[in-house]
């Protein structure tokens, strides 16, 4: 009898051990979506115009996922143009095949489909998705993409009662195809007609007295920064593009094109309605959009003057930007503290200084980096690199430092090595604010300064608790410095987030390379990869 009990105990123990091992090795969850992209008609500013819908929605569906989820999205293109979506800020670890830009993916032809397969690997935070083709972004097809922490990883603030996604950006009554024709003809982008919040003129967000809510705020616009504020309420900043930050409180916050952040707001004022306000920055004419923060027990409509915000004060904005700091003791997507990687003690392997400009080339307005204005190839650079197709891109056209001379056109790629640790300085000698995005990575924003960057500028770098993010602003006649740990092999887009500049050449690709092809460094080409240009006939 005792032997039977002992054997039964051993069997149960073995079963539990095997079960625990299988749970540890269990694959991360899969989430499946089918998105049909179509044209539709909407009147976001009171005038009917053609917009781009996702499953009939404008803006598109909000995508709520959890760290390490596997995302499978079948995108069906019912437009009359080739189309792609990019996942702004999602790192696509070892997987630039899914980045959804023309340097990595063939666009989805009309009446066809492509299934994206990617993982929100080791990420949390507030992101967006939007079209990367032509000027489709000016017509919609954008949405929020929120990555929530796993339940076993604590976040450094109490769980809010609810969170709201605010997609804020400039808007044009002119159709996206007309805007594209302006740019193609050599004209500059006109001034926007207004600012929208969630593609509406005055949406309402409702909460209960005494509760705290998260507002996830993204600049989804084409070209204009904005300042965000809430009438009578303070905002506690808790997250910026996947980084937990030192939790300072603000009356208002600047959000530049392509950027995202999250704030906590406690409804601790008199029970009535209040304005949420977004107004343009660094523009001669200030455009303002409002929404309503409605207390659920309010019987008083929103009233009073709309709270004013800063307009051009770039010194004020830079000073605020320097207050955004990494929370060194908080976990991010993993249980180890964000500050456990001591970026400031690593010796850089290379320095790049990239200067933006707005030259005329062949009599037409273009935008350039170190004199090079990027032109798209009909063959994605990633495919050309994988299949060793010559003549598609040029790895010698764009130099690591600015130089004198006329601007020229090129499909420019900057070669770097896997595991390099690089310093990048964005030098802005123009009178307009710039915004820069790096695909596949986040980076440490170690310095802002006015005038020309020099080697001595490094003395003012923050090498202790600089914020990590994927999109950074560069103020007029100023510079911004970042540090990047190149641990993600692939072909990655470095672009102006200001879309007319991106469209007319202010971008290039960063080829993060290791000569030894290994699945430990990079996934193989997807079986469903679309082939176009010189890659037609190749075998994935």
């Amino acid at each position: 009898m005792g032997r039977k009990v002992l054997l039964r105990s051993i069997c149960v123990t073995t079963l539990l051990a095997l079960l625990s091992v299988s749970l540890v090795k269990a694959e991360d969850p899969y989430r499946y979506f089918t998105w049909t992209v179509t044209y539709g008609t909407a009147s976001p500013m009171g005038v009917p115009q053609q917009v781009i819908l996702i499953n009939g929605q404008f803006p598109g569906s909000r995508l709520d996922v959890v760290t390490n989820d596997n995302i499978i999205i079948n995108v069906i293109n019912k437009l009359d143009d080739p189309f792609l979506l990019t996942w702004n800020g999602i790192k696509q670890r070892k997987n630039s095949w899914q980045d959804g830009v023309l340097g990595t993916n063939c666009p989805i032809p009309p009446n066809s489909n492509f299934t994206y397969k990617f993982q929100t690997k080791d990420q949390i935070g507030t992101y967006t998705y939007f079209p990367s083709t032509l000027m489709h972004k000016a017509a919609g097809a954008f949405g929020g993409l929120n990555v929530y922490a796993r339940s076993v990883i604590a976040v450094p603030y109490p769980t809010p009662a609810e969170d709201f996604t605010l997609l804020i950006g400039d808007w044009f009554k002119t159709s996206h195809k007309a805007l594209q024709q302006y740019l193609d003809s050599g004209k500059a982008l006109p001034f926007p007609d207004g600012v929208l919040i969630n593609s509406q003129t005055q949406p309402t967000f409702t909460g209960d007295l005494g509760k705290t809510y998260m507002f996830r705020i993204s600049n989804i616009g084409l070209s204009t920064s904005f300042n965000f504020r809430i009438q009578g309420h303070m905002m506690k900043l808790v997250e910026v593009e996947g980084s937990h930050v030192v939790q300072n409180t603000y009356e208002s916050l600047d959000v530049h094109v392509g950027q995202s952040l999250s704030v906590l707001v406690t409804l601790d004022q008199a029970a009535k309605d209040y304005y949420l306000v977004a107004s343009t920055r660094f523009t001669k004419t200030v455009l303002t959009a409002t929404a309503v923060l409605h207390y659920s027990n309010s019987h008083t409509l929103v009233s009073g003057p709309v709270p004013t915000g800063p307009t051009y004060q770039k010194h004020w904005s830079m000073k605020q930007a320097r207050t955004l700091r990494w929370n060194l003791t908080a976990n991010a997507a993993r249980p180890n503290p964000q500050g456990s990687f001591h970026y400031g003690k690593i010796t850089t392997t290379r320095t790049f200084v990239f200067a933006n400009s707005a030259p005329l080339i062949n009599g037409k307005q273009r935008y350039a980096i170190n004199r090079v204005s990027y032109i798209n190839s009909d063959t994605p650079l990633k495919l050309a690199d994988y299949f060793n197709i010559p003549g598609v891109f040029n790895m010698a056209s764009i130099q690591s430092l600015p130089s004198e001379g006329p601007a020229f056109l090129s499909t420019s790629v900057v070669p770097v090595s896997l595991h390099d640790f690089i310093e990048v300085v964005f030098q802005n000698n123009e009178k307009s604010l710039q915004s820069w995005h790096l695909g596949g990575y986040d980076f440490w924003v170690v310095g802002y300064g006015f005038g020309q960057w020099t080697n001595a500028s490094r003395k003012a770098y923050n090498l202790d608790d600089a914020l990590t993010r994927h999109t950074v602003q560069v103020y007029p006649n100023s510079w911004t410095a970042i540090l990047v740990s190149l641990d993600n092999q692939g072909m990655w887009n470095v672009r102006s987030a200001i879309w007319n500049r991106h469209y007319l050449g202010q971008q290039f690709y960063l080829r993060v390379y290791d000569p030894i092809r290994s699945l430990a460094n990079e996934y193989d080409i997807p079986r469903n990869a679309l082939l176009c240009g010189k890659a037609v006939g190749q075998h994935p």
Side-chain angles (χ1 to χ4, degrees):
M1 183 70 180
R3 185 179 179 186
K4 290 182 179 179
V5 172
L6 178 60
L7 287 173
R8 186 180 301 144
S9 175
I10 292 172
C11 289
V12 170
T13 302
T14 303
L15 180 61
L16 289 174
L18 291 173
L19 181 60
S20 66
V21 170
S22 67
L23 288 174
V24 168
K25 294 186 177 181
E27 196 166 5
D28 294 306
Y30 279 74
R31 297 178 183 267
Y32 295 88
F33 305 88
T34 298
W35 287 359
T36 301
V37 182
T38 61
Y39 288 122
T41 301
S43 304
M45 300 196 72
V47 178
Q49 64 184 113
Q50 186 183 68
V51 297
I52 299 177
L53 311 174
I54 294 180
N55 289 351
Q57 297 182 32
F58 173 71
S61 307
R62 175 172 137 173
L63 195 58
D64 288 338
V65 300
V66 176
T67 299
N68 293 349
D69 278 356
N70 292 283
I71 313 302
I72 314 296
I73 303 180
N74 181 25
V75 176
I76 303 169
N77 178 20
K78 293 293 184 180
L79 306 183
D80 55 2
D81 288 322
F83 180 82
L84 279 175
L85 288 172
T86 189
W87 319 96
N88 197 49
I90 300 302
K91 294 180 186 177
Q92 308 290 0
R93 295 291 304 170
K94 304 190 296 183
N95 200 17
S96 62
W97 303 106
Q98 304 294 332
D99 203 27
V101 290
L102 289 174
T104 59
N105 296 82
C106 296
I108 307 167
N111 297 310
S112 186
N113 75 295
F114 175 72
T115 301
Y116 291 89
K117 301 176 182 178
F118 62 90
Q119 188 178 25
T120 51
K121 181 68 174 173
D122 292 334
Q123 287 190 260
I124 56 95
T126 302
Y127 306 96
T128 58
Y129 63 86
F130 56 78
S132 64
T133 39
L134 304 174
M135 289 296 287
H136 291 142
K137 189 182 180 187
F142 47 71
L145 199 173
N146 302 325
V147 185
Y148 294 88
R150 292 175 291 165
S151 60
V152 295
I153 306 295
V155 295
Y157 49 82
T159 302
E162 188 176 350
D163 62 52
F164 302 110
T165 292
L166 282 71
L167 304 174
I168 306 175
D170 51 15
W171 188 260
F172 296 80
K173 295 178 183 177
T174 307
S175 74
H176 70 283
K177 292 192 174 184
L179 293 176
Q180 181 181 327
Q181 289 173 356
Y182 287 159
L183 297 178
D184 289 341
S185 68
K187 298 178 182 177
L189 193 72
F191 190 70
D193 295 297
V195 177
L196 297 176
I197 300 175
N198 290 355
S199 302
Q200 302 173 53
T201 51
Q202 196 173 70
T204 297
F205 302 89
T206 300
D208 297 331
L209 177 66
K211 292 184 178 180
T212 298
Y213 295 84
M214 176 175 281
F215 289 81
R216 297 177 180 268
I217 303 160
S218 296
N219 188 330
I220 200 72
L222 292 182
S223 61
T224 314
S225 301
F226 66 80
N227 177 269
F228 181 81
R229 52 205 178 271
I230 303 178
Q231 183 183 26
H233 293 73
M234 297 295 289
M235 300 179 292
K236 180 183 287 186
L237 183 66
V238 294
E239 177 259 332
V240 174
E241 294 166 15
S243 290
H244 294 308
V245 298
V246 174
Q247 296 178 10
N248 297 319
T249 56
Y250 299 86
E251 291 183 355
S252 71
L253 282 161
D254 282 350
V255 187
H256 306 284
V257 180
Q259 295 184 344
S260 298
L261 54 82
S262 297
V263 297
L264 294 179
V265 179
T266 300
L267 275 57
D268 56 3
Q269 301 298 306
K272 60 178 185 177
D273 291 357
Y274 296 87
Y275 284 115
L276 301 165
V277 187
S279 58
T280 57
R281 294 284 271 121
F282 315 111
T283 58
K284 292 182 180 179
T285 301
V286 178
L287 302 175
T288 300
T290 61
V292 174
L293 175 58
H294 172 70
Y295 279 56
S296 59
N297 60 339
S298 167
H299 299 287
T300 305
L301 297 178
V302 67
S303 63
V306 175
T308 59
T311 52
Y312 190 79
Q313 301 95 318
K314 66 178 183 180
H315 289 79
W316 181 96
S317 185
M318 186 184 289
K319 183 178 179 180
Q320 182 184 84
R322 288 174 174 153
T323 68
L324 275 57
R325 299 296 182 97
W326 221 18
N327 186 335
L328 299 182
T329 60
N331 301 315
R334 292 183 176 186
N336 52 302
Q338 291 180 148
S340 59
F341 187 88
H342 301 289
Y343 70 93
K345 297 181 179 179
I346 302 174
T347 301
T348 55
T349 53
R350 294 184 66 181
T351 293
F352 298 90
V353 179
F354 295 123
N356 51 271
S357 59
L360 295 178
I361 300 180
N362 299 324
K364 292 185 177 182
Q365 179 68 67
R366 295 288 299 186
Y367 298 99
I369 303 167
N370 288 3
R371 299 193 296 120
V372 182
S373 186
Y374 183 89
I375 51 173
N376 284 306
S377 168
D378 62 354
T379 306
L381 316 187
K382 185 62 185 169
L383 292 179
D385 200 26
Y386 183 81
F387 291 121
N388 295 314
I389 301 172
V392 173
F393 56 84
N394 188 330
M395 288 198 292
S397 59
I398 190 166
Q399 301 302 303
S400 59
L401 297 173
S403 60
E404 297 295 327
F408 59 96
L409 304 174
S410 178
T411 306
S412 47
V413 171
V414 172
V416 289
S417 297
L418 184 65
H419 302 307
D420 277 355
F421 190 78
I422 63 172
E423 175 187 36
V424 176
V425 178
F426 295 110
Q427 179 68 54
N428 179 15
N429 298 324
E430 298 184 68
K431 295 180 181 180
S432 59
L433 182 139
Q434 306 298 314
S435 186
W436 289 98
H437 172 82
L438 170 59
Y441 288 91
D442 51 19
F443 46 74
W444 289 271
V445 185
V446 293
Y448 301 93
F450 295 112
Q452 294 293 311
W453 180 89
T454 67
N455 289 334
S457 302
R458 295 190 180 105
K459 295 177 182 178
Y461 281 5
N462 176 2
L463 298 180
D464 298 315
D465 61 352
L467 181 65
T468 61
R469 61 188 316 163
H470 58 69
T471 303
V472 69
Q473 72 275 16
V474 190
Y475 294 95
N477 298 306
S478 301
W479 57 266
T480 297
I482 66 173
L483 298 177
V484 193
S485 177
L486 297 179
D487 60 354
N488 194 12
Q489 185 167 317
M491 188 75 73
W492 302 108
N493 194 212
V494 181
R495 62 174 178 260
S496 172
I498 299 173
W499 206 250
N500 53 305
R501 285 180 167 261
H502 163 270
Y503 181 76
L504 291 179
Q506 203 160 291
Q507 60 169 312
F508 63 88
Y509 281 81
L510 195 68
R511 180 182 184 250
V512 182
Y513 183 70
D514 189 308
I516 300 174
R517 184 174 289 183
S518 168
L519 293 178
N521 293 336
E522 185 175 25
Y523 298 140
D524 209 346
I525 184 172
R527 293 182 179 180
N528 69 330
L530 299 176
L531 302 180
C532 55
K534 295 180 181 179
V536 171
Q538 301 284 348
H539 298 286

